[in-house]
Amino acid sequence: MHFSVATLLTIAPLLALSSPVPQSPRATIPLSRRSNLYREDGSLDLAVLRGQLSRTTAKIMRGFRTYNRNTGERHPLQPDETSNDSASKRAVGKDSLTDGSEQLWYGTISVGTPAVTYTVDFDTGSSDLFLPSSSCGSTCSGHTAYKSSSSSTSKSLGKKFSLSYGDGSTVSGDQFKDTVKIAGLTAKSQTLGSATQYSDGFSSANFPADGLMGMGFQSISEYNAPPVFQTLVSGGQTSSGVFAFKLDESGSELTLGGLNSALYSGTPVYSKVTQQGYWQINFDSLKVGGSSVVGTTSAIVDSGTTLVIGSTAGVKAFYKKIPGSKDASSTVGAGFYTFPCSATIPSVSFTIGGKNLPMSASSVNFGPVSEGSSDCVGSIVADSSI
């Protein structure tokens, strides 16, 4: 049994592209919090939860197709389409993050000359930056708009772009190059999308950030252009090609160009990126109560989702170890499981680089299915298309 793909927020701060790096000066982007995953009564909004699964899966699958188009090669993790289960140099920049809808973490960047400030979702599961255009109209109402004609450093590329997600959300518009600044670090001639159309999924009511900044690799870029972080590294804006997230109830931040040793104890666990595109690694096992239920497999680290998504067989094996768990495909949604809210959840951990990294019981338990329900929804979810 295996997870063909897993999205593991719990290990995101511990990964790097290369070997461990020494400490270096830092700058930070703070991240703050907002949530609509839960209803006022404390129960889950199941429609939001199902939409997140659909959106995440579609994003990963789109990345596979983009990888193929950009490289001419099939991504090693791409399933069979017919399968049912398959300036002055700054060493570091940091940006504070906000948790929106329990689904995205966003902070500020500035774009153009003169610079205009925007909030963006920092997403390691994609690679492109897009913002709402000043010509977007009512679909972008409530967001700060990018007006290319007001920026002396903006240059039209004469190209269109279009992105679609599994929950029906879409973004489309025109490509430009402009200056992007993040926590004092400058990415010159950065390719970005100026969206002339946001679907309802990106309305200000559903998507608190103005836009999205992908932090994956160029090979999954819809623009087939270097992402912002790669531009910062190649432009000598950082002293190391490392970034890190702290994702917590408070004090969350994104650190660019190194690690903030004040935010962790011990020695970080580094795992080799096995395939550039996504932040793809191998983990040794998924353990429940000290016993392995999923062996060595590839995983994608995606800061754009709260879920852990795996294969049907792997997820089924996991919940066999959770007392009272049951398949909730017919009640919550395909791939979801529930268990008694009163259940004692055994220890859960991912083994990476030979070290067990625990997943807290509160992270496994998303919360009650509905107001007054004794059943709670698990955060580890199956998807047969992955």
Coordinates of all heavy atoms in Angstrom, one line a residue, residues 60-109:
I60 N -3.0 19.9 -8.7 CA -1.9 19.0 -8.9 C -1.9 18.3 -10.3 O -0.9 18.2 -11.0 CB -1.9 17.9 -7.8 CG1 -1.7 18.5 -6.4 CG2 -0.8 16.8 -8.1 CD1 -0.4 19.2 -6.2
M61 N -3.1 17.9 -10.7 CA -3.2 17.3 -12.0 C -2.8 18.3 -13.1 O -2.2 17.9 -14.1 CB -4.6 16.7 -12.2 CG -5.0 15.7 -11.2 SD -3.9 14.2 -11.3 CE -4.6 13.4 -12.7
R62 N -3.3 19.6 -13.0 CA -2.9 20.6 -14.0 C -1.4 20.8 -14.1 O -0.8 20.9 -15.1 CB -3.6 21.9 -13.6 CG -3.4 23.0 -14.7 CD -4.0 24.3 -14.3 NE -3.1 24.9 -13.3 CZ -3.6 25.4 -12.1 NH1 -4.9 25.3 -11.8 NH2 -2.8 25.9 -11.2
G63 N -0.8 20.7 -12.9 CA 0.7 20.8 -12.8 C 1.4 19.7 -13.6 O 2.4 19.9 -14.2
F64 N 0.8 18.5 -13.5 CA 1.4 17.4 -14.2 C 1.3 17.6 -15.7 O 2.3 17.4 -16.5 CB 0.6 16.1 -13.9 CG 0.8 15.5 -12.5 CD1 -0.1 14.8 -11.9 CD2 2.0 15.7 -11.9 CE1 0.1 14.2 -10.7 CE2 2.2 15.2 -10.6 CZ 1.2 14.5 -10.0
R65 N 0.2 18.1 -16.2 CA 0.1 18.4 -17.6 C 1.0 19.5 -18.1 O 1.6 19.5 -19.2 CB -1.4 18.7 -17.9 CG -2.4 17.5 -17.8 CD -3.7 17.9 -18.3 NE -4.4 18.9 -17.5 CZ -5.2 18.6 -16.4 NH1 -5.3 17.4 -16.0 NH2 -5.8 19.6 -15.8
T66 N 1.1 20.6 -17.2 CA 2.0 21.7 -17.5 C 3.4 21.2 -17.6 O 4.2 21.7 -18.5 CB 1.8 22.8 -16.5 OG1 0.5 23.2 -16.5 CG2 2.7 24.0 -16.9
Y67 N 3.8 20.4 -16.7 CA 5.2 19.8 -16.7 C 5.5 19.1 -18.0 O 6.5 19.3 -18.6 CB 5.3 18.8 -15.5 CG 6.7 18.1 -15.4 CD1 7.7 18.7 -14.5 CD2 7.0 17.0 -16.1 CE1 8.9 18.1 -14.4 CE2 8.2 16.4 -15.9 CZ 9.2 16.9 -15.1 OH 10.4 16.3 -15.0
N68 N 4.5 18.3 -18.5 CA 4.7 17.6 -19.7 C 4.8 18.6 -20.9 O 5.7 18.4 -21.8 CB 3.5 16.7 -20.0 CG 3.5 15.9 -21.3 OD1 3.0 16.4 -22.3 ND2 4.3 14.8 -21.3
R69 N 4.0 19.6 -20.9 CA 4.1 20.6 -22.0 C 5.4 21.4 -21.9 O 6.0 21.7 -23.0 CB 2.9 21.6 -21.8 CG 2.8 22.6 -23.0 CD 1.7 23.6 -22.8 NE 2.0 24.5 -21.7 CZ 1.1 24.8 -20.7 NH1 0.0 24.1 -20.6 NH2 1.4 25.6 -19.7
N70 N 5.9 21.7 -20.7 CA 7.1 22.6 -20.6 C 8.4 21.8 -20.8 O 9.4 22.3 -21.3 CB 7.2 23.2 -19.2 CG 6.1 24.3 -19.1 OD1 5.6 24.8 -20.0 ND2 5.9 24.7 -17.8
T71 N 8.4 20.5 -20.5 CA 9.6 19.7 -20.5 C 9.6 18.6 -21.6 O 10.7 18.1 -22.0 CB 9.8 18.9 -19.2 OG1 8.8 18.0 -19.0 CG2 9.8 19.9 -18.0
G72 N 8.4 18.3 -22.1 CA 8.3 17.2 -23.1 C 8.4 15.9 -22.5 O 8.4 14.9 -23.2
E73 N 8.3 15.8 -21.2 CA 8.4 14.5 -20.5 C 7.1 14.4 -19.6 O 6.6 15.3 -19.1 CB 9.6 14.4 -19.6 CG 10.9 14.5 -20.4 CD 12.2 14.5 -19.6 OE1 12.0 14.5 -18.3 OE2 13.3 14.5 -20.1
R74 N 6.8 13.1 -19.4 CA 5.7 12.8 -18.4 C 6.2 12.9 -17.0 O 7.3 12.4 -16.7 CB 5.1 11.4 -18.7 CG 3.9 11.0 -17.9 CD 3.6 9.6 -18.1 NE 2.4 9.1 -17.3 CZ 1.2 9.2 -17.7 NH1 0.9 9.8 -18.9 NH2 0.2 8.8 -16.9
H75 N 5.4 13.6 -16.1 CA 5.9 13.7 -14.7 C 5.8 12.3 -14.1 O 4.8 11.5 -14.3 CB 5.0 14.6 -13.9 CG 5.5 15.0 -12.6 ND1 5.4 14.1 -11.5 CD2 6.1 16.1 -12.1 CE1 5.9 14.6 -10.5 NE2 6.4 15.8 -10.8
P76 N 6.8 11.8 -13.4 CA 6.9 10.5 -12.8 C 5.6 10.1 -11.9 O 5.3 9.0 -11.8 CB 8.1 10.5 -12.0 CG 9.0 11.5 -12.6 CD 8.1 12.6 -13.1
L77 N 5.0 11.1 -11.3 CA 3.9 10.8 -10.5 C 2.5 11.0 -11.2 O 1.5 10.7 -10.6 CB 3.9 11.8 -9.2 CG 5.0 11.6 -8.2 CD1 4.7 12.5 -7.0 CD2 5.1 10.2 -7.8
Q78 N 2.6 11.4 -12.4 CA 1.3 11.6 -13.1 C 0.6 10.2 -13.3 O 1.2 9.3 -13.9 CB 1.5 12.2 -14.5 CG 0.2 12.5 -15.3 CD 0.5 13.3 -16.5 OE1 1.6 13.6 -16.9 NE2 -0.6 13.7 -17.2
P79 N -0.6 10.1 -12.9 CA -1.3 8.8 -13.0 C -1.8 8.5 -14.4 O -1.9 9.5 -15.2 CB -2.5 8.9 -12.1 CG -2.8 10.4 -12.1 CD -1.4 11.1 -12.2
D80 N -2.0 7.3 -14.7 CA -2.6 6.9 -16.0 C -4.0 7.5 -16.0 O -4.8 7.4 -15.1 CB -2.8 5.4 -16.1 CG -3.3 4.9 -17.4 OD1 -3.9 5.7 -18.1 OD2 -3.0 3.7 -17.7
E81 N -4.3 8.3 -17.1 CA -5.6 9.0 -17.1 C -6.8 8.0 -17.0 O -7.9 8.4 -16.7 CB -5.7 9.8 -18.4 CG -4.7 10.9 -18.5 CD -4.9 12.0 -17.5 OE1 -6.0 12.1 -16.9 OE2 -3.9 12.8 -17.2
T82 N -6.6 6.8 -17.4 CA -7.7 5.8 -17.4 C -7.7 5.0 -16.0 O -8.6 4.2 -15.8 CB -7.5 4.8 -18.5 OG1 -6.3 4.0 -18.3 CG2 -7.4 5.5 -19.8
S83 N -6.8 5.3 -15.1 CA -6.8 4.5 -13.9 C -7.7 5.2 -12.9 O -7.9 6.4 -12.8 CB -5.3 4.6 -13.3 OG -5.4 4.0 -12.0
N84 N -8.3 4.3 -12.1 CA -9.2 4.8 -11.0 C -8.5 5.0 -9.7 O -9.1 5.5 -8.7 CB -10.4 3.8 -10.9 CG -11.3 3.8 -12.0 OD1 -11.6 4.8 -12.6 ND2 -11.8 2.6 -12.4
D85 N -7.2 4.6 -9.6 CA -6.5 4.8 -8.3 C -5.0 5.1 -8.6 O -4.1 4.3 -8.4 CB -6.7 3.5 -7.5 CG -6.1 3.7 -6.1 OD1 -5.9 4.8 -5.6 OD2 -5.8 2.6 -5.4
S86 N -5.0 5.8 -9.0 CA -3.6 6.2 -9.4 C -3.1 7.6 -8.7 O -3.7 8.1 -7.9 CB -3.6 6.3 -10.9 OG -4.8 6.7 -11.4
A87 N 19.8 44.3 -5.8 CA 20.1 45.7 -5.2 C 21.1 45.5 -4.1 O 22.0 44.8 -4.3 CB 18.9 46.3 -4.7
S88 N 21.0 46.2 -2.9 CA 21.9 45.7 -1.9 C 21.5 44.3 -1.7 O 20.3 44.0 -1.6 CB 21.9 46.5 -0.7 OG 20.7 46.5 -0.1
K89 N 22.5 43.4 -1.5 CA 22.1 42.0 -1.4 C 21.5 41.8 0.0 O 22.1 42.1 1.0 CB 23.4 41.2 -1.5 CG 23.1 39.7 -1.7 CD 24.4 39.0 -2.0 CE 24.2 37.6 -2.3 NZ 25.4 36.9 -2.7
R90 N 20.4 41.2 0.0 CA 19.7 40.8 1.3 C 19.8 39.3 1.4 O 19.5 38.5 0.5 CB 18.3 41.2 1.3 CG 18.1 42.7 1.2 CD 18.5 43.3 2.5 NE 17.6 42.8 3.6 CZ 16.4 43.3 3.9 NH1 15.9 44.3 3.2 NH2 15.8 42.8 4.9
A91 N 20.3 38.8 2.5 CA 20.4 37.4 2.7 C 19.1 36.6 2.8 O 18.9 35.6 2.3 CB 21.3 37.0 3.9
V92 N 18.2 37.2 3.5 CA 16.9 36.6 3.8 C 15.8 37.6 3.8 O 15.9 38.7 4.3 CB 16.9 35.8 5.1 CG1 15.6 35.2 5.4 CG2 18.0 34.8 5.2
G93 N 14.6 37.2 3.3 CA 13.4 38.0 3.5 C 12.3 37.2 4.2 O 12.2 36.0 4.1
K94 N 11.6 37.9 5.1 CA 10.5 37.2 5.8 C 9.2 38.0 5.7 O 9.2 39.2 5.6 CB 10.8 37.1 7.3 CG 12.0 36.2 7.6 CD 12.1 35.9 9.1 CE 12.4 37.1 9.9 NZ 12.5 36.8 11.4
D95 N 8.1 37.3 5.6 CA 6.8 38.0 5.4 C 5.8 37.3 6.3 O 5.7 36.1 6.4 CB 6.3 37.8 3.9 CG 5.3 38.8 3.5 OD1 4.8 39.6 4.4 OD2 5.0 38.8 2.3
S96 N 5.0 38.1 7.0 CA 4.0 37.6 7.9 C 2.8 37.0 7.1 O 2.4 37.6 6.1 CB 3.5 38.7 8.9 OG 4.5 39.1 9.7
L97 N 2.2 35.9 7.6 CA 1.2 35.2 6.8 C -0.1 35.2 7.6 O -0.2 35.2 8.8 CB 1.6 33.8 6.6 CG 2.9 33.5 5.8 CD1 3.1 32.0 5.7 CD2 2.8 34.2 4.4
T98 N -1.2 35.3 6.8 CA -2.5 35.2 7.4 C -3.2 33.9 6.9 O -3.0 33.5 5.7 CB -3.4 36.3 6.9 OG1 -2.8 37.6 7.3 CG2 -4.8 36.2 7.4
D99 N -3.8 33.2 7.8 CA -4.5 31.9 7.4 C -5.9 32.3 7.0 O -6.7 32.7 7.8 CB -4.5 31.0 8.6 CG -5.3 29.7 8.3 OD1 -5.7 29.5 7.1 OD2 -5.6 29.0 9.3
G100 N -6.3 32.2 5.7 CA -7.6 32.5 5.2 C -8.4 31.2 4.9 O -7.9 30.3 4.2
S101 N -9.5 31.1 5.5 CA -10.4 30.0 5.3 C -9.8 28.6 5.7 O -10.3 27.6 5.2 CB -10.9 29.9 3.9 OG -11.4 31.2 3.5
E102 N -8.8 28.6 6.6 CA -8.1 27.4 6.9 C -7.6 26.7 5.7 O -7.3 25.6 5.7 CB -9.1 26.4 7.6 CG -9.6 26.9 9.0 CD -8.6 26.9 10.1 OE1 -7.5 26.3 9.9 OE2 -8.9 27.3 11.2
Q103 N -7.4 27.5 4.6 CA -7.0 26.9 3.3 C -5.8 27.5 2.7 O -5.1 26.9 2.0 CB -8.1 27.0 2.3 CG -9.4 26.3 2.7 CD -10.5 26.6 1.7 OE1 -10.5 26.2 0.6 NE2 -11.5 27.4 2.2
L104 N -5.6 28.8 3.0 CA -4.4 29.5 2.4 C -3.8 30.4 3.4 O -4.4 30.8 4.4 CB -4.9 30.3 1.2 CG -6.0 31.3 1.3 CD1 -5.4 32.7 1.7 CD2 -6.8 31.5 0.1
W105 N -2.5 30.7 3.2 CA -1.7 31.6 4.0 C -1.3 32.7 3.2 O -0.6 32.5 2.1 CB -0.5 30.8 4.6 CG -0.9 29.7 5.5 CD1 -1.3 28.4 5.1 CD2 -1.1 29.7 6.9 NE1 -1.6 27.7 6.2 CE2 -1.5 28.5 7.4 CE3 -0.9 30.7 7.9 CZ2 -1.7 28.2 8.7 CZ3 -1.1 30.5 9.2 CH2 -1.5 29.2 9.6
Y106 N -1.6 33.9 3.6 CA -1.3 35.1 2.7 C -0.6 36.2 3.5 O -0.7 36.3 4.7 CB -2.5 35.6 2.0 CG -3.7 36.1 2.9 CD1 -3.8 37.4 3.2 CD2 -4.6 35.2 3.5 CE1 -4.8 37.9 4.0 CE2 -5.6 35.6 4.2 CZ -5.7 37.0 4.5 OH -6.8 37.4 5.3
G107 N 0.2 36.9 2.7 CA 1.0 38.1 3.2 C 1.1 39.1 2.1 O 0.4 39.0 1.1
T108 N 2.0 40.1 2.3 CA 2.1 41.2 1.4 C 3.3 41.2 0.5 O 4.4 40.7 0.9 CB 2.0 42.5 2.1 OG1 3.2 42.6 3.0 CG2 0.8 42.7 2.9
I109 N 3.1 41.6 -0.7 CA 4.2 41.9 -1.7 C 3.8 43.3 -2.3 O 2.8 43.8 -2.1 CB 4.3 40.9 -2.8 CG1 3.0 40.9 -3.7 CG2 4.5 39.5 -2.2 CD1 3.1 40.0 -4.9

